[in-house]
Amino acid sequence: MEKVYAAFRSIGAYVPQKILTNADFEKMVDTSDEWIVKRTGIKKRHIAADDESTSDMAAKAAKIAIERAGLSVEDIDLVVMATVTPDYFNMPSTACLVSDKLGIKNVQAFDLSAACSGFVYALTVAKAFIESGMKKNVLVIGAEKFSSIVDYTDRTTSILFGDGAGAAVISATTNRDEAFVDIHASADGSYWDFLITPSPGSVNPASHTAIDEGLQFVKMKGNETFKLAVKTLTKDVKEILKNNNIEAGEIPHFVPHQANYRIIKAVGDSLGMREDQVVLTVHKYGNTSAASIPMAINDIYEEGRLQSGELMLLDTFGGGLTWASALIPFAPNK
Ligand code: UT7
């Protein structure tokens, strides 16, 4: 039997309308545009409407990705949804809600929790299902309504995060040139408390006390996470390039997780990347967690910068702690 590979066929994204600028934050907490830009590179972020859920945004991004793949919803045989801001804690899965909104029926659908690394983690799942022959067209989504777990009185976290969704269709191919070159994901659970929403969950079930203590909001050991992110990501991307005998200079599109411009710059510089190789969206979307990488890929696609066959180097780091990187050619249906 001919060997089957996974191919990255299409991308789509959705960005909510409402914008929170740094000037808005100056009115909400003790901060300044200067501090935020200097320490993070963020100038604004998009925020979902009150009646707009993670699955609403995800379904919009996914619809575009399916259309751009030249497929219909009947062709999708697996939905993998990366999010840490699901519509409901903890059931039904947001993947089931997205499937329902799109009219995808009787198809395996589940959520995957790997925080900011979720989209690349979900790509590893898509690859495994396709290469094993179990599935042919996998819808992979990264979507977050991070504003639903942000404490807008906490200046250390609130200025960082935004909402949005991105989706891709990963399909089976027998053409080796279209295949994922490499992908890997990893984790170190000993840093579990670096990024955490303490409640609701089995440790701190929903309670008045939990709410009074603000345990439903995201907490982050920012500076410690920053240092580990730079160290881990630099090592990770160097390894994946070396293992595949690819020079950093050959990569047309380095698409890192968009958490902080300083992290991206440090990793890019350590690889000797030119500015035109590095995809940057953190200034306009902030950190959208699992949505950040597919939203960034969608940006270069819509700007006409992502051409068939061009290699993307994906690289991400997030709560867990988790991290992942991938070398994937863009392989649209011709
Ligand atoms: O997406 C998942 C992975 N996430 C990340 O990788 C995020 C990693 N962390 C970061 O991006 C950065 O650590 C932050 C942007 C969160 C913070 O930057 P930092 O350079 O690490 O600052 P810091 O936490 O060391 O804080 C420096 C100072 C503190 O004041 P003192 O103690 O020196 O007086 C903070 O209270 O900056 C203060 N500060 C602020 N000041 C104005 C913290 N947040 C703000 C703010 N405005 N919004």
Side-chain angles (χ1 to χ4, degrees), residues 70-86:
L71 299 177
S72 65
V73 290
E74 289 77 27
D75 298 311
I76 301 298
D77 53 8
L78 174 64
V79 179
V80 188
M81 167 90 204
T83 189
V84 286
T85 49

Side-chain angles (χ1 to χ4, degrees), residues 173-252:
T173 182
T174 51
N175 180 353
R176 184 79 185 81
D177 294 339
E178 294 184 328
F180 284 25
V181 174
D182 200 359
I183 185 162
H184 79 263
S186 194
D188 186 342
S190 66
Y191 299 109
W192 61 274
D193 61 346
F194 273 36
L195 262 155
I196 183 169
T197 42
S199 182
S202 64
V203 174
N204 299 301
S207 69
H208 290 292
T209 317
I211 299 269
D212 290 345
E213 290 172 6
L215 300 187
Q216 73 277 29
F217 295 127
V218 62
K219 324 273 177 215
M220 178 167 69
K221 293 186 179 174
N223 198 261
E224 291 92 327
T225 308
F226 181 97
K227 285 179 195 151
L228 260 179
V230 172
K231 203 169 113 194
T232 310
L233 289 176
T234 305
K235 186 167 169 283
D236 210 39
V237 279
K238 281 188 174 161
E239 258 172 33
I240 198 168
L241 289 171
K242 185 164 174 269
N243 291 343
N244 294 283
N245 292 317
I246 295 173
E247 295 291 329
E250 296 172 43
I251 300 289

Side-chain angles (χ1 to χ4, degrees), residues 30-32 35-36 39-40 116 155-156 159-161 195 220 222-223 225-226 229 257 259-260 262-263 287 317-319:
D30 180 16
T31 192
S32 65
W35 191 96
I36 300 172
R39 298 285 182 126
T40 71
C116 304
R155 70 175 182 172
T156 66
I159 52 118
L160 299 171
F161 296 101
L195 262 155
M220 178 167 69
N223 198 261
T225 308
F226 181 97
H257 169 49
N260 186 318
R262 285 154 61 214
I263 298 176
N287 181 350
F317 186 86

